[in-house]
């Protein structure tokens, strides 16, 4: 980020070098600036300014005087943006869903930093090399319109019914984290890539079309433009406060158990971050006990810290929502390695 540019009559070679370092996020002036830039997947900021991000960013700014600059998009979109800017880094903190946080790590976009409180996060929810840590736990799910569809579908197969034609939509795999989660869950539930793609090819007859952002789908479901869409528990639970027709459900394969998997919001310090020290302070704050206690009460999610066990009304409701749902653990190493191939297979199967 280029900052503190002053006109001068003459510029020496040393000053030219200093300016180039500033553009690459390497100057002390940039480091001293009271700002931190966050690139994040959507879902944690409230539609009406009442989300977890809204609360904790305001608290952080009040406590530290550091202003949070926030940029939001799909998980893959945020990683791609950071990758394009690798030679002129703009972001300090990157927050995204699996498998994109692993992708960011493998592409060298993150630097190792263990935030205060990360020792209280389960080993499966943080990188072994210290490049990222979950800040909000979450699960993949679907939503339905409770007014027009009081009883949600129970299986993937039901979604092939003609009643869902042009009333069903899921976000784009490879672009949105929750869209990629559709692929991951389908491959698990149907027992592999080939049968999953065969199913998604059939489902395409009812699908409205691509969407780069999952958060844009819930309002359409609430209004009745769509009957069903994909999402995730935290985001949709938070949205349901202002969207009364939104219900959360989990598809099963045939008559089997409904399934889901953990889809946490994971955060890492960006490599060559222009305000790295401010980024570290924000990561520490996001994992602080106070901020973690508000994950359920304010954000409708699940704390990342195992020692934080909230008992607020949202926490109780979320626990009830997950009852009877089988949680599986994807092979994230395989998905990180083969994500492009899986997305290409989806594009081929669906004609997208």
């Amino acid at each position: 980020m280029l900052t503190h540019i002053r006109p001068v009559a003459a510029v020496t070679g040393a000053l030219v070098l200093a300016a180039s370092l500033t553009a690459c996020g390497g100057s002390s002036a940039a480091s001293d600036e009271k700002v931190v830039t966050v690139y994040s997947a959507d879902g944690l900021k409230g539609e009406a300014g009442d989300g977890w991000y809204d609360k904790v960013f305001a608290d952080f700014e009040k406590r530290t005087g550091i202003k949070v600059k926030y940029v939001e998009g799909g998980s893959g979109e945020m990683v791609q943006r950071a990758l394009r800017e690798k030679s002129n880094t703009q972001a300090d903190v990157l927050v995204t869903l699996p498998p994109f946080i692993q992708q960011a790590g493998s592409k060298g976009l993150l630097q190792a930093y263990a935030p205060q409180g990360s020792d209280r996060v389960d080993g499966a929810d943080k990188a072994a090399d210290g490049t990222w840590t979950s800040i909000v736990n979450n699960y993949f799910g679907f939503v339905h319109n409770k007014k027009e569809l009081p009883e949600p579908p129970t299986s993937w197969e039901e979604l092939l019914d003609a009643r869902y034609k042009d009333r069903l939509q899921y976000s784009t795999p490879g672009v949105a984290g929750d869209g990629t989660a559709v692929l991951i869950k389908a491959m698990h539930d149907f027992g592999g890539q080939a049968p999953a793609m065969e199913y998604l090819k059939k489902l395409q007859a009812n699908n409205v079309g691509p969407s780069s952002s999952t958060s844009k789908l819930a309002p359409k479901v609430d209004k009745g433009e769509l009957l069903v869409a994909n999402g995730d528990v935290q985001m949709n639970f938070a949205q349901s406060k202002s969207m009364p027709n939104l219900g959360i459900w989990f598809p099963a394969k045939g008559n089997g158990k409904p399934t889901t998997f953990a889809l946490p919001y994971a955060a890492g310090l960006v490599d060559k971050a222009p305000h790295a020290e401010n980024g570290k302070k924000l990561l520490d704050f996001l994992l602080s006990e106070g901020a973690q206690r508000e994950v359920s009460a304010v954000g409708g999610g699940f704390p990342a810290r195992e020692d934080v066990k909230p008992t607020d009304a949202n926490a109780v409701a979320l626990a009830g929502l997950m009852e009877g749902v089988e949680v599986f653990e994807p092979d994230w190493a395989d998905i990180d390695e083969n994500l492009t191939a899986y997305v290409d297979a989806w594009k081929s199967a669906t004609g997208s």
Side-chain angles (χ1 to χ4, degrees):
M1 180 179 292
L2 191 60
T3 59
H4 303 298
I5 304 175
R6 292 175 292 182
V8 290
V11 181
T12 67
L15 286 176
V16 170
L17 176 61
S20 68
L21 285 174
T22 302
C24 293
S27 79
S28 60
S31 298
D32 293 341
E33 193 178 3
K34 300 286 279 186
V35 67
V36 60
T37 299
V38 178
Y39 283 8
S40 178
D42 49 7
L44 292 175
K45 202 169 193 306
E47 300 282 333
D50 56 353
W52 187 67
Y53 270 165
D54 301 285
K55 178 69 166 63
V56 295
F57 286 172
D59 290 346
F60 176 74
E61 289 179 10
K62 185 177 180 181
R63 181 172 298 185
T64 65
I66 299 169
K67 181 175 176 56
V68 178
K69 289 187 177 180
Y70 179 71
V71 180
E72 179 181 280
S75 287
E77 181 186 356
M78 289 295 92
V79 172
Q80 287 305 310
R81 178 166 176 168
L83 193 60
R84 288 195 302 271
E85 297 170 352
K86 199 171 181 183
S87 62
N88 183 20
T89 310
Q90 302 295 308
D92 301 300
V93 172
L94 178 67
V95 183
T96 188
L97 307 180
F100 296 100
I101 194 66
Q102 289 91 341
Q103 186 181 81
S106 65
K107 291 182 182 298
L109 292 177
L110 305 175
Q111 58 177 296
Y113 177 66
Q116 295 175 22
S118 60
D119 58 322
R120 302 290 189 167
V121 176
D122 184 84
D125 295 327
K126 57 188 176 185
D129 62 1
T131 51
W132 57 266
T133 307
S134 296
I135 54 171
V136 172
N137 278 342
N138 191 20
Y139 297 92
F140 176 64
F142 275 72
V143 288
H144 68 105
N145 180 291
K146 294 194 294 186
K147 187 175 180 181
E148 293 191 43
L149 199 65
E151 290 296 322
T154 59
S155 70
W156 287 104
E157 289 82 0
E158 279 187 67
L159 298 179
L160 299 176
D161 192 276
R163 73 182 298 188
Y164 296 104
K165 184 170 178 59
D166 296 329
R167 306 290 300 281
L168 173 151
Q169 190 173 16
Y170 61 91
S171 51
T172 307
V175 175
D178 289 326
T180 306
V182 172
L183 279 188
I184 294 170
K185 179 169 154 57
M187 287 193 294
H188 170 270
D189 289 0
F190 285 91
Q193 178 182 321
M197 299 309 160
E198 183 181 342
Y199 168 80
L200 292 170
K201 181 178 181 179
K202 294 176 184 175
L203 186 66
Q204 195 65 11
N206 289 343
N207 188 18
V208 170
S211 173
S212 62
S213 172
T214 313
S215 65
K216 295 177 181 176
L217 301 182
K220 295 181 181 180
V221 174
D222 182 62
K223 292 172 186 173
E225 295 174 28
L226 299 172
L227 290 177
V228 168
N230 70 312
D232 62 68
V233 173
Q234 175 279 323
M235 178 174 66
N236 297 142
F237 188 88
Q239 288 172 318
S240 68
K241 290 188 293 183
S242 59
M243 301 179 193
N245 296 320
L246 216 58
I248 299 171
W249 67 288
F250 305 91
K253 169 71 171 65
N255 296 321
K257 268 190 170 185
T259 68
T260 188
F261 61 96
L263 203 61
Y265 292 89
L269 186 66
V270 177
D271 186 47
K272 298 182 179 66
H275 314 101
E277 292 307 309
N278 296 345
K280 291 176 181 178
K281 289 176 184 177
L282 179 60
L283 288 168
D284 290 347
F285 192 81
L286 295 175
L287 270 181
S288 66
E289 189 173 342
Q292 287 289 299
R293 288 201 176 280
E294 293 178 324
V295 166
S296 57
V298 177
F302 305 81
R305 285 179 54 153
E306 293 183 303
D307 61 328
V308 175
K309 302 185 184 301
T311 57
D312 59 87
N314 283 354
V316 173
L318 287 163
L321 188 63
M322 299 301 297
E323 282 183 15
V325 181
E326 183 180 286
V327 179
F328 65 90
E329 185 173 339
D331 184 343
W332 290 117
D334 170 76
I335 293 162
D336 181 36
E337 183 180 346
N338 297 299
L339 179 61
T340 300
Y342 293 147
V343 172
D344 286 346
W346 170 81
K347 288 177 180 177
S348 177
T350 61
S352 299

